[in-house]
Amino acid sequence: SRAQLLTHLLRPLQRPIRILDVGGEFGFWEILDFTQLGEIHVTLLNLFPQDKIPSNFCSHVGDARSMHAYATDDFDVVISNSVIGHVGSFQDQKSMANEIRRIGKRYFVQTPNHYFPVDWRTLIPLFHFLPLNARAHLLQSLPITSFGRLKSHSSALQWASAVRNLTHRELRALFPEATITRERFLGFTKSFMAFQGFNGPSMLTDEREGADL
């Protein structure tokens, strides 16, 4: 799993570790059980401030596509979990990827696979392959989001187009030097994890180009 791989990659690093979590929330680190990771200092960068976090965490508000507040190699590790699909166009995603590569001595980026057959937001098979207007119509007709049926066509269009999941080929273009491994579910590739800069042996990777299933 992504948590096991990330823990595996962090384990050999010299402490303390300065980590930037792009688009991160403290709840992810609770699930990861950060207290078992030794001395880490985590900056949570998101569109909103976060409070009630431990002293070794801090919260910054910012844009993942333009992180000029941070210098080159400012952090030992930059992490991003299921965020790069939310920042806009492929050019926006490239801007975010370039910032991650600039700021971190190492990075770990996880993102859902565009070709996974089940849409991860609605849990409806093949929903994300439908034309945009068809998706918007279904969002208005059926209570398939976490907050029910959408009333206006404009809000349905906005919700339907808010995520741009990546293919393996696109992820390779964004992170050309990375090792990419697959997170699988029932034999299908559910998501990808791209990481770079970690020394020593890593877990089994699958670098096959093309087939994302």
Side-chain angles (χ1 to χ4, degrees), residues 16 43-44 95 107 168 198 200:
T43 298
L44 302 170
S95 296
Y107 61 76
H168 185 282
F198 299 90

Side-chain angles (χ1 to χ4, degrees), residues 5-159:
L5 178 55
L6 179 56
T7 300
H8 169 80
L9 294 172
L10 292 176
R11 188 176 295 120
L13 300 183
Q14 183 177 352
R15 269 51 175 181
I17 310 174
R18 296 184 68 248
I19 299 172
L20 175 65
D21 187 350
V22 181
E25 298 184 40
F26 178 62
F28 169 77
W29 293 92
E30 288 185 298
I31 294 171
L32 199 64
D33 192 6
F34 70 92
T35 60
Q36 305 300 313
L37 296 176
E39 187 178 358
I40 61 172
H41 300 278
V42 181
T43 298
L44 302 170
L45 178 73
N46 216 314
L47 297 175
F48 53 86
Q50 301 176 63
D51 54 12
K52 297 181 180 178
I53 54 179
S55 59
N56 59 324
F57 283 74
C58 65
S59 171
H60 290 178
V61 174
D63 186 336
R65 298 166 297 181
S66 179
M67 297 185 280
H68 299 316
Y70 309 122
T72 299
D73 290 344
D74 217 356
F75 290 87
D76 298 312
V77 183
V78 177
I79 291 168
S80 185
N81 186 50
S82 296
V83 172
I84 199 167
H86 293 267
V87 298
S89 66
F90 184 72
Q91 187 58 48
D92 291 318
Q93 292 172 324
K94 186 176 181 180
S95 296
M96 176 179 169
N98 287 343
E99 285 288 74
I100 287 173
R101 296 166 66 209
R102 176 183 69 83
I103 294 166
K105 299 174 184 175
R106 307 164 186 84
Y107 61 76
F108 177 94
V109 177
Q110 184 274 348
T111 189
N113 174 24
H114 172 70
Y115 288 116
F116 187 65
V118 178
D119 176 60
W120 62 267
R121 293 197 295 168
T122 64
L123 301 182
I124 294 178
L126 307 181
F127 173 85
H128 50 306
F129 296 118
L130 295 173
L132 179 59
N133 281 326
R135 281 179 278 154
H137 176 73
L138 287 174
L139 291 168
Q140 287 184 267
S141 305
L142 300 171
I144 54 178
T145 71
S146 58
F147 38 85
R149 186 167 56 89
L150 300 180
K151 295 181 180 180
S152 73
H153 187 64
S154 60
S155 62
L157 280 173
Q158 182 179 14
W159 196 92

